[in-house]
């Protein structure tokens, strides 16, 4: 069963509300997921949503779809995506559905599919689940229909778990009375971030806290979207500014000097905090800044790349026994909590680092090598990209090559990564170097063999 214009990826299915993403689509995929998840007899499925305007409507549809395949729905209401993942683990559920389009623009929504371990479905699991769309979804008879339960404590449990992290010195953080500026972009962050910061003794200056999903700016927490937060940091003389995306799995920073250093610094700072207390491997995806691998090198621990995509990073972390990992988009994954990106965990680790460093984070950034990332994209050619990869490897024989997700070429102080997008008909080209000009030069050189195919 196909739906034109729908984007199906490793983590879920998404589209514009009222266009590709209709109630019929949501009902079909939710029922397929419920039937797949409960195939072994465990019929408990957790459901949560972010603040998007279509969220309440889609929640009602998801409830009915899951009941129609005999599932027991555990509804946790509006909650961060990591809270949904933790609730799946808490309830020993068969899986979970997050009704969220994460950082996508206001007109989007999506379903995120979570397996029984609290991780998003792997590519193989997703393919197996979607197979039911072709073979038919087994429905429950009248006497086997599912029911709905409400769990109102999921966010409180998540908060308690963050505060109980072994290397979080809650008393020391409270004693510092940090001034924190907060921007939740009208997302689900408002149900947990102010509470966390208050518990940690912070003086909070918050904006965009109404969780109504009416994003007044692009909701992705990249530096160019954080002008309001930067102004708030300067106006309140805050020690740090924190920004979350609508489903609260990504955290971006504005430093005490009012500068947004880029979302890669969230993971770099988190890794620095954790590695002071426990040494072990660090894992990130292939499109992450060198500021993260620099931290691993400084602490003398192994560093490993994973394919782009949260579940790919999580599975690589699990296999490597990683101490910390995540993605350069502000997604911090701390295995002590769970193998999922978690903005509240990231925020707690930032405050812990500020206690331990005893100096502003802007000074910490200034003392380390700086890099500039440039991101580009081109239409994907019809021909396979193997010839492009071979041409680039031949052109740069001095670079180390990683081919697990497209091609990444590395030098000591710079890199370039080409990969076909999993959700759009484009090729992404990302480069990083000590200067903007050097990064753009890498982009230009990478584009040449690619342009020849288009």
């Amino acid at each position: 069963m196909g739906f034109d214009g729908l984007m199906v990826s490793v983590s879920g299915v998404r589209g514009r509300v009222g266009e590709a993403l209709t109630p019929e689509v949501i009902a079909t995929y939710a029922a397929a997921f419920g039937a797949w998840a409960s195939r072994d007899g465990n019929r408990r499925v957790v459901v949560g949503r972010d603040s998007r305007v279509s969220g309440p409507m889609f929640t009602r549809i998801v409830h009915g779809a899951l009941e129609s395949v005999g599932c027991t729905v555990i509804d946790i209401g509006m909650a961060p995506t990591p809270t949904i993942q933790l609730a799946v683990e808490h309830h020993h559920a068969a899986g979970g559905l997050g009704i969220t389009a994460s950082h996508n623009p206001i007109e989007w929504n999506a379903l995120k599919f979570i397996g029984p371990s609290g991780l998003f479905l792997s590519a193989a699991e997703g393919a197996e689940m979607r197979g039911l769309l072709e073979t038919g979804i087994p429905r429950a008879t009248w006497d086997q229909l599912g029911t709905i339960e409400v769990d109102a404590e999921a966010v409180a449990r998540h908060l308690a778990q963050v505060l109980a992290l072994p290397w979080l010195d809650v008393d020391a953080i409270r004693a510092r009375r940090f001034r924190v500026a907060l921007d939740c972009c009208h997302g689900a962050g408002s149900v947990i971030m102010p509470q966390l910061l208050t518990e940690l003794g912070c003086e909070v200056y918050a904006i965009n806290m109404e969780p109504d999903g009416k994003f007044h700016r692009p909701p992705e927490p990249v530096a160019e979207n954080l002008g309001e937060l930067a102004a708030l940091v300067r106006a309140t003389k805050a020690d740090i500014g924190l920004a979350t995306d609508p489903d609260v799995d990504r955290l971006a920073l504005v430093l005490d000097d009012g500068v947004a250093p880029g979302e890669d610094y969230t993971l770099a700072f988190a890794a620095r905090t954790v590695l002071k207390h426990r040494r072990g491997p660090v894992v990130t995806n292939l499109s992450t800044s060198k500021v993260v691998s620099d931290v691993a090198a400084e602490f003398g621990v192994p560093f490993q790349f994973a394919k782009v995509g949260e579940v790919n990073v999580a599975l690589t972390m699990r296999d490597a026994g990683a101490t910390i990992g995540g993605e350069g988009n502000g997604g911090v994954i701390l295995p002590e909590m769970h193998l999922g990106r978690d903005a509240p965990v990231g925020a707690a680790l930032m405050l812990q680092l500020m206690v331990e460093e005893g100096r502003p984070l802007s000074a910490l950034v200034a003392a380390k090598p700086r890099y500039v990332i440039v991101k580009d994209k081109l239409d994907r050619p019809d021909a396979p990209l193997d010839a492009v990869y071979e041409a680039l490897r031949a052109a740069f024989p001095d670079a180390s090559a990683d081919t697990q997700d497209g091609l990444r070429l590395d030098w000591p102080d710079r890199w370039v990564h080409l990969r076909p997008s999993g959700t759009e008909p484009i090729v992404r080209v990302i480069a990083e170097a000590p200067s903007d000009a050097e990064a753009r030069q890498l982009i230009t050189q990478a584009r040449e063999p690619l342009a020849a195919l288009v």
Side-chain angles (χ1 to χ4, degrees), residues 50 63 102 117 136 171 175 247 260 272 300 328 365 381 399:
D50 69 12
H63 284 179
S102 190
S117 64
D171 291 338
D247 74 327
R272 176 172 294 278
V365 169

mmCIF file of all heavy atoms in Angstrom, residues 50 63 102 117 136 171 175 247 260 272 300 328 365 381 399:
data_model
loop_
_atom_site.group_PDB
_atom_site.id
_atom_site.type_symbol
_atom_site.label_atom_id
_atom_site.label_comp_id
_atom_site.label_asym_id
_atom_site.label_seq_id
_atom_site.Cartn_x
_atom_site.Cartn_y
_atom_site.Cartn_z
ATOM 1 N N ASP A 50 4.377 15.251 20.610
ATOM 2 C CA ASP A 50 4.916 16.576 20.893
ATOM 3 C C ASP A 50 3.779 17.599 20.822
ATOM 4 O O ASP A 50 2.600 17.228 20.893
ATOM 5 C CB ASP A 50 6.100 16.904 19.977
ATOM 6 C CG ASP A 50 5.710 17.123 18.504
ATOM 7 O OD1 ASP A 50 4.504 17.249 18.194
ATOM 8 O OD2 ASP A 50 6.629 17.163 17.655
ATOM 9 N N HIS A 63 -4.812 5.882 18.792
ATOM 10 C CA HIS A 63 -5.477 5.067 19.809
ATOM 11 C C HIS A 63 -6.418 4.044 19.166
ATOM 12 O O HIS A 63 -6.385 2.846 19.470
ATOM 13 C CB HIS A 63 -6.273 5.955 20.766
ATOM 14 C CG HIS A 63 -5.433 6.686 21.754
ATOM 15 N ND1 HIS A 63 -5.967 7.542 22.689
ATOM 16 C CD2 HIS A 63 -4.099 6.689 21.975
ATOM 17 C CE1 HIS A 63 -4.995 8.039 23.434
ATOM 18 N NE2 HIS A 63 -3.854 7.539 23.019
ATOM 19 N N SER A 102 9.645 15.955 15.022
ATOM 20 C CA SER A 102 10.933 16.424 15.526
ATOM 21 C C SER A 102 11.162 17.881 15.128
ATOM 22 O O SER A 102 10.382 18.752 15.481
ATOM 23 C CB SER A 102 12.039 15.495 15.027
ATOM 24 O OG SER A 102 13.253 15.756 15.658
ATOM 25 N N SER A 117 13.051 -2.436 23.081
ATOM 26 C CA SER A 117 14.241 -2.050 23.836
ATOM 27 C C SER A 117 14.292 -0.552 24.115
ATOM 28 O O SER A 117 15.190 -0.071 24.815
ATOM 29 C CB SER A 117 15.495 -2.459 23.062
ATOM 30 O OG SER A 117 15.559 -1.744 21.835
ATOM 31 N N GLY A 136 -1.376 -7.490 4.553
ATOM 32 C CA GLY A 136 -2.632 -7.316 5.264
ATOM 33 C C GLY A 136 -2.430 -7.254 6.769
ATOM 34 O O GLY A 136 -1.629 -8.013 7.329
ATOM 35 N N ASP A 171 23.955 18.939 44.360
ATOM 36 C CA ASP A 171 24.164 19.964 45.387
ATOM 37 C C ASP A 171 25.115 21.050 44.904
ATOM 38 O O ASP A 171 24.892 22.241 45.146
ATOM 39 C CB ASP A 171 24.707 19.322 46.675
ATOM 40 C CG ASP A 171 23.671 18.453 47.374
ATOM 41 O OD1 ASP A 171 22.462 18.668 47.132
ATOM 42 O OD2 ASP A 171 24.066 17.560 48.144
ATOM 43 N N ALA A 175 24.217 25.010 44.289
ATOM 44 C CA ALA A 175 24.948 26.054 45.010
ATOM 45 C C ALA A 175 25.410 27.181 44.095
ATOM 46 O O ALA A 175 25.585 28.320 44.548
ATOM 47 C CB ALA A 175 26.153 25.437 45.734
ATOM 48 N N ASP A 247 10.530 18.032 19.938
ATOM 49 C CA ASP A 247 10.335 16.781 20.672
ATOM 50 C C ASP A 247 11.457 16.503 21.670
ATOM 51 O O ASP A 247 11.538 15.429 22.243
ATOM 52 C CB ASP A 247 10.124 15.598 19.722
ATOM 53 C CG ASP A 247 11.401 15.160 19.024
ATOM 54 O OD1 ASP A 247 12.250 16.028 18.739
ATOM 55 O OD2 ASP A 247 11.557 13.950 18.756
ATOM 56 N N ALA A 260 26.182 31.482 19.602
ATOM 57 C CA ALA A 260 25.782 30.081 19.415
ATOM 58 C C ALA A 260 26.920 29.382 18.673
ATOM 59 O O ALA A 260 27.149 29.670 17.497
ATOM 60 C CB ALA A 260 24.487 29.988 18.622
ATOM 61 N N ARG A 272 33.082 15.640 27.277
ATOM 62 C CA ARG A 272 34.105 16.130 28.218
ATOM 63 C C ARG A 272 33.652 15.909 29.662
ATOM 64 O O ARG A 272 34.448 15.500 30.516
ATOM 65 C CB ARG A 272 34.369 17.620 27.956
ATOM 66 C CG ARG A 272 35.344 18.278 28.925
ATOM 67 C CD ARG A 272 35.702 19.685 28.468
ATOM 68 N NE ARG A 272 36.438 19.624 27.215
ATOM 69 C CZ ARG A 272 37.745 19.377 27.122
ATOM 70 N NH1 ARG A 272 38.454 19.169 28.217
ATOM 71 N NH2 ARG A 272 38.335 19.338 25.966
ATOM 72 N N GLY A 300 42.261 10.275 25.517
ATOM 73 C CA GLY A 300 42.912 9.025 25.183
ATOM 74 C C GLY A 300 41.985 7.833 25.095
ATOM 75 O O GLY A 300 42.370 6.712 25.437
ATOM 76 N N GLY A 328 25.995 15.032 15.925
ATOM 77 C CA GLY A 328 26.442 16.412 15.973
ATOM 78 C C GLY A 328 25.339 17.437 15.864
ATOM 79 O O GLY A 328 25.597 18.638 15.872
ATOM 80 N N VAL A 365 35.696 27.069 24.882
ATOM 81 C CA VAL A 365 35.687 27.030 23.414
ATOM 82 C C VAL A 365 36.900 27.768 22.855
ATOM 83 O O VAL A 365 37.576 27.287 21.944
ATOM 84 C CB VAL A 365 34.385 27.640 22.859
ATOM 85 C CG1 VAL A 365 34.478 27.842 21.349
ATOM 86 C CG2 VAL A 365 33.197 26.752 23.188
ATOM 87 N N PRO A 381 22.018 11.960 -8.770
ATOM 88 C CA PRO A 381 22.027 11.459 -10.155
ATOM 89 C C PRO A 381 21.366 10.093 -10.244
ATOM 90 O O PRO A 381 21.230 9.370 -9.250
ATOM 91 C CB PRO A 381 23.527 11.363 -10.475
ATOM 92 C CG PRO A 381 24.192 11.188 -9.140
ATOM 93 C CD PRO A 381 23.350 11.965 -8.161
ATOM 94 N N ALA A 399 44.156 10.980 2.062
ATOM 95 C CA ALA A 399 43.075 11.011 3.055
ATOM 96 C C ALA A 399 42.729 9.591 3.492
ATOM 97 O O ALA A 399 42.792 8.648 2.703
ATOM 98 C CB ALA A 399 41.845 11.680 2.471
#
